[in-house]
Amino acid sequence: MVSPREHGDVTNRILRFLPAETVDKLWPALEPLKTKQGQVLEHVDGPIKYMFFVDRGLVSLVKTMLDG
């Protein structure tokens, strides 16, 4: 099997700095996801179902304060 790094497919900095063996094990489980502006990825106090490795764009955390 050819490592994804050999193809230049790994653009996320977290994945790029993992050992090649680790990325090779993770690669088959990764799938691309296109998101839309305003899309909620996770909710507070909910179970964590997925890990998101952003390769381009921006993801932000939003906190609603008690006074709105």
Side-chain angles (χ1 to χ4, degrees):
M1 181 172 121
V2 178
S3 170
R5 288 179 191 221
E6 293 175 28
H7 287 289
D9 293 336
V10 178
T11 57
N12 178 277
R13 287 185 179 184
I14 294 172
L15 293 175
R16 269 184 118 56
F17 284 99
L18 289 174
E21 305 81 39
T22 303
V23 175
D24 291 344
K25 289 177 183 176
L26 284 173
W27 198 255
L30 299 178
E31 55 186 79
L33 172 69
K34 288 193 177 193
T35 58
K36 296 179 180 176
Q37 184 175 352
Q39 180 175 342
V40 176
L41 299 178
E42 295 289 342
H43 292 278
V44 174
D45 296 327
I48 297 172
K49 296 179 183 178
Y50 304 100
M51 294 290 298
F52 297 93
F53 297 97
V54 179
D55 66 350
R56 68 177 69 115
L58 175 71
V59 175
S60 62
L61 302 174
V62 178
K63 169 71 175 158
T64 303
M65 306 301 282
L66 292 175
D67 61 359

